[in-house]
Amino acid sequence: MKLLAIEMSRVTVLFRATRPKGQAYLPLLAAKVAERYNFSSAPQTLADIKSPKVEFCHGLFKDCAVERFEVYNDGIIVTSCSDTDFIDAFIGDLVSWLKNEHGHAIIETHTVRRMYDSSLLVETDQDVFHPFELYTEILQLIEKSLEGSSGLNVNFQNFGFTFAADHTQISAMKPGHFRLERKEGIEFSRNQFYSTAPLRTKQHLDILERLEQLVQARL
């Protein structure tokens, strides 16, 4: 399996930030964050800074871009088209800098306080949907019904699948779906797939590689 692109990575962290020695001057703090990480877009007015969501866009950390850094009353969300380890490193650097240089402290407020989202574009050696040939009869019924209703004679194949947790049973942060589907607009024979998962990038890739191994073992 080959990783073609990291389409999106996102890390959500829940906490409260306080400053025991006294309230920070928010316009100056926002300006310093923008300067430290070279954000091309940052809040400019006090109203922007005190809004429910404070957003910094397209910054730089090490040699990669932080696409979006969002600040809320109960935590932060960081998005990038890089590995989730990169985002974790950015958050670690930010928290350390705020603590050591500006006197901020982090108060943990939730048992489940960090959630990952990972979206990848991969190419596999085998069609990982091969086991779904079990549904051949259903695909044929769809084809015949489509031809009868609209005169279109085409072949249907499995396009994707989704695994999900039952969100009604979860009181904490709710994980996203694990989804694997063919890349839209690409010939099926190229075995290019778009996948999303509520996991770190490395974990996500490990699962996709294991899926390909299981399919190869059945061939």
Side-chain angles (χ1 to χ4, degrees):
M1 188 191 71
K2 180 192 302 182
L3 174 63
L4 299 179
I6 298 175
E7 300 278 289
M8 186 278 293
S9 296
R10 179 180 295 123
V11 179
T12 302
V13 187
L14 300 181
F15 62 84
R16 281 191 59 216
T18 65
R19 192 167 183 261
K21 70 177 183 179
Q23 181 180 1
Y25 182 62
L26 297 180
L28 179 60
L29 181 61
K32 286 183 176 294
V33 170
E35 179 184 10
R36 178 174 177 82
Y37 298 107
N38 291 288
F39 281 107
S40 61
S41 174
Q44 298 298 317
T45 68
L46 186 59
D48 291 338
I49 296 169
K50 288 198 169 185
S51 66
K53 180 178 78 172
V54 179
E55 186 173 85
F56 298 79
C57 294
H58 207 70
L60 178 66
F61 177 64
K62 297 183 177 178
D63 62 345
C64 293
V66 176
E67 186 58 32
R68 188 172 293 106
F69 168 44
E70 301 166 63
V71 182
Y72 299 85
N73 290 332
D74 59 349
I76 61 173
I77 300 176
V78 184
T79 305
S80 176
C81 293
S82 300
D83 191 293
T84 52
D85 286 348
F86 163 79
I87 297 180
D88 279 340
F90 166 77
I91 294 173
D93 182 82
L94 173 70
V95 169
S96 178
W97 175 69
L98 288 174
K99 177 182 177 181
N100 296 330
E101 298 295 328
H102 298 282
H104 285 76
I106 299 300
I107 300 175
E108 296 187 7
T109 55
H110 295 72
T111 302
V112 179
R113 60 185 296 266
R114 188 173 295 233
M115 190 67 69
Y116 294 87
D117 290 289
S118 172
S119 299
L120 307 175
L121 178 62
V122 299
E123 184 173 286
T124 61
D125 296 327
Q126 304 289 337
D127 184 351
V128 294
F129 293 149
H130 180 76
F132 289 92
E133 289 184 355
L134 169 68
Y135 297 105
T136 297
E137 180 182 347
I138 301 301
L139 295 174
Q140 291 174 344
L141 286 173
I142 295 172
E143 293 164 1
K144 288 181 180 179
S145 298
L146 179 63
E147 185 175 12
S149 61
S150 58
L152 185 61
N153 184 2
V154 295
N155 293 323
F156 270 69
Q157 299 180 45
N158 188 287
F159 189 78
F161 64 79
T162 301
F163 299 135
D166 183 352
H167 285 184
T168 65
Q169 305 299 312
I170 304 171
S171 59
M173 282 200 291
K174 296 172 174 52
H177 300 340
F178 184 98
R179 179 178 289 113
L180 182 67
E181 58 188 31
R182 296 186 189 276
K183 177 65 176 176
E184 191 75 46
I186 301 296
E187 293 180 9
F188 287 8
S189 62
R190 295 198 62 85
N191 293 329
Q192 290 188 10
F193 301 93
Y194 177 75
S195 181
T196 62
L199 304 170
R200 290 184 170 97
T201 306
K202 175 63 165 58
Q203 296 171 322
H204 192 173
L205 284 169
D206 286 346
I207 289 173
L208 292 174
E209 288 175 352
R210 181 56 181 157
L211 173 64
E212 185 176 25
Q213 290 169 2
L214 290 173
V215 171
Q216 289 173 336
R218 291 174 59 99
L219 295 178

